[in-house]
Amino acid sequence: MCDLECLKVDLKGMKDDDTSLVFNLDESYFSALDQVEVKKGSLHVSVSIRKASGFFEILIHEAGTVIIPCDRCLDDMEQPVETDVQLTVRLGDENSEDGDTIVVAEDEGILDLTWIIYESVALAIPIRHVHAPGKCNTAMTEVLEELSADRSSDEESDQSIDPRWEKLKKLNIKD
């Protein structure tokens, strides 16, 4: 089990104006979160925190691969991800978010990066994710093609042709 406590940053306890943190997150991180979109992966995360007067500027760079299901064959596939996140964090009365500005309760002073990292990785995954050509599960691809061909032939035979199209087709035929 991944210890998610290492992803909690004590902003009030920061001694230096600039702090760099590095995390190597593996499958235990994703299994600890128990989310549907990404269940496995390997990420290298570097966090740079710059302390300014009244706020903190945080830059997060994530690079690695995640394992997600292919949309076409449903087998697992590796998806490379690389993303940069820039946040502004300030201390306030209670925890809240407003766009790229996060307010952390001053009495706690702890910024939890766990979900920030996960959400930016999930957003970096393309909407459509499929294997490279020829890499999909061949058995599943054959079944998919067979069912797609059956469905399209059924649709064509069941539908009558609009009479307007029929007349246009006759114009196209040369005798």
Side-chain angles (χ1 to χ4, degrees), residues 60-115:
I60 303 171
H61 177 77
E62 303 161 340
T65 58
V66 292
I67 309 298
I68 54 176
C70 174
D71 287 342
R72 187 175 299 138
C73 71
L74 303 179
D75 282 355
D76 285 346
M77 63 173 273
E78 285 190 3
Q79 176 68 49
V81 291
E82 186 167 359
T83 183
D84 292 305
V85 177
Q86 183 174 353
L87 301 170
T88 302
V89 179
R90 61 181 179 83
L91 300 174
D93 295 332
E94 59 183 33
N95 293 332
S96 65
E97 281 186 49
D98 182 29
D100 288 342
T101 302
I102 297 174
V103 178
V104 175
E106 191 165 2
D107 56 336
E108 291 177 15
I110 304 289
L111 175 65
D112 190 355
L113 296 174
T114 306
W115 287 104

Side-chain angles (χ1 to χ4, degrees), residues 13-38:
M14 286 183 57
K15 304 281 187 238
D16 301 327
D17 288 343
D18 292 321
T19 304
S20 294
L21 305 170
V22 175
F23 306 106
N24 289 310
L25 305 176
D26 57 10
E27 294 180 19
S28 60
Y29 166 75
F30 293 105
S31 64
L33 295 178
D34 193 30
Q35 293 297 303
V36 176
E37 183 68 28
V38 181

Side-chain angles (χ1 to χ4, degrees), residues 98-141:
D98 182 29
D100 288 342
T101 302
I102 297 174
V103 178
V104 175
E106 191 165 2
D107 56 336
E108 291 177 15
I110 304 289
L111 175 65
D112 190 355
L113 296 174
T114 306
W115 287 104
I116 296 169
I117 292 170
Y118 178 81
E119 288 172 349
S120 63
V121 166
L123 289 171
I125 297 172
I127 292 174
R128 185 167 187 254
H129 29 85
V130 295
H131 283 105
K135 300 286 185 186
C136 274
N137 181 333
T138 54
M140 182 64 94
T141 305

